[in-house]
Amino acid sequence: MIKLSPSILSADYAHLGRDMELARQGGADYIHLDVMDGRFVPNITIGAPVVQSLRKATQLPLDVHLMIKDPDRYIGAFMDAGADIITLHVEALGRQRLENAIKAIRAAGKKAGLTLRPSTPVKSLVPYLSMLDLVLVMTVEPGFGGQKLIPETLQKISLLRSLCEDHGYTYEIEADGGINMENAATLVRAGANVIVAGSAVFENEDVPAAVREFKRLLSDAEGGAPTEPGSGA
Ligand code: DX5
Ligand code: ZN
């Protein structure tokens, strides 16, 4: 099954509990939380106290994407707050600190993910692949919702899928940024099995219907359902 992880970056921050519930009603699998510090990326979003409140408002797994400097200093706080998956940027830390952080996340019984900017090559992830539960491929430059997907990043998804098959790695492959109902099937065909979508989910009048439609589309793409040329899929 292909999973959908709606990103609340495009939800209404005054009504996050309601918006997560609408996503759940439509069949969302995870809730994607973008943590930004104004240093690793230009934008500032939420910290651990908000995650702690969101934890009480949903049973869905919280998929936390840390776009912050020194993320290893904060993983304890996010785990205590109730994060289920914690994804770090490979550019944020050197090898030893990154390995220690991944081990600490897994030792706490949480899932550890690693991600990379569009300009960072997949080879920078190779030393860690056997330790990971998830690899997140940024399909836009991290920092903002509502951007256009960078098509070249799809090659990374295919490469990570082949590495997974060749070496028996078990990580999920998540794609994040600029994904909508027109291009989502392409990402699934490239090898992604978790799709993040912010604006394409929450900038809809009827969020549950949008999530249901997205999930149907992902399931068709997984089954290899034929798509009409020009249908946008
Ligand atoms: C960008 C974030 C994304 C963002 C995606 O830095 O990592 O998760 O919310 O938003 P859309 O789907 O609108 O591109
Ligand atoms: Zn994200």
Side-chain angles (χ1 to χ4, degrees), residues 7 9 32 34 36 65 67 138 142-146 176-178 196-199:
S7 164
L9 189 63
H32 188 84
D34 288 303
M36 308 185 190
H65 175 192
M67 287 163 274
M138 286 305 304
F144 299 92
D176 182 12
V196 177
S199 43

Side-chain angles (χ1 to χ4, degrees), residues 1-5 29-30 61-63 84-87 106 111-116 125 129-137 156-157 160-161 164 168-175 191-196 215 222:
M1 183 197 60
I2 309 293
K3 296 173 183 159
L4 183 66
S5 188
D29 300 282
Y30 298 156
L62 297 178
D63 166 27
D84 297 288
I85 305 167
I86 298 194
T87 297
R106 300 192 81 190
K111 290 189 174 171
L114 205 54
T115 183
L116 72 183
L125 300 179
L129 291 179
S130 65
M131 309 169 72
L132 297 175
D133 299 295
L134 179 141
V135 176
L136 187 156
V137 176
K156 293 187 189 181
I157 296 174
L160 283 158
R161 181 54 67 199
C164 199
Y169 298 138
T170 54
Y171 51 75
E172 297 198 283
I173 302 178
E174 182 174 41
N193 74 299
V194 186
I195 298 294
V196 177
K215 288 276 303 185
E222 182 181 30

Side-chain angles (χ1 to χ4, degrees), residues 23 31 35 38 52 56 84 95-96 115 120 123 129 136 138 155 166 180 197 205 209 212 217 227 232:
I31 296 290
V35 176
Q52 194 175 359
K56 295 179 197 136
D84 297 288
R95 178 144 180 191
Q96 197 55 60
T115 183
T120 303
K123 74 171 186 314
L129 291 179
L136 187 156
M138 286 305 304
Q155 295 161 15
D166 295 350
N180 52 42
E205 292 273 297
R212 266 194 299 277
L217 209 137
T227 49

Side-chain angles (χ1 to χ4, degrees), residues 2 4 34 37 55 58-59 100 139 154 162 175 188 199 212:
I2 309 293
L4 183 66
D34 288 303
D37 65 352
R55 175 72 291 161
T58 187
Q59 309 250 321
N100 291 345
T139 43
L154 266 74
S162 319
V188 172
S199 43
R212 266 194 299 277

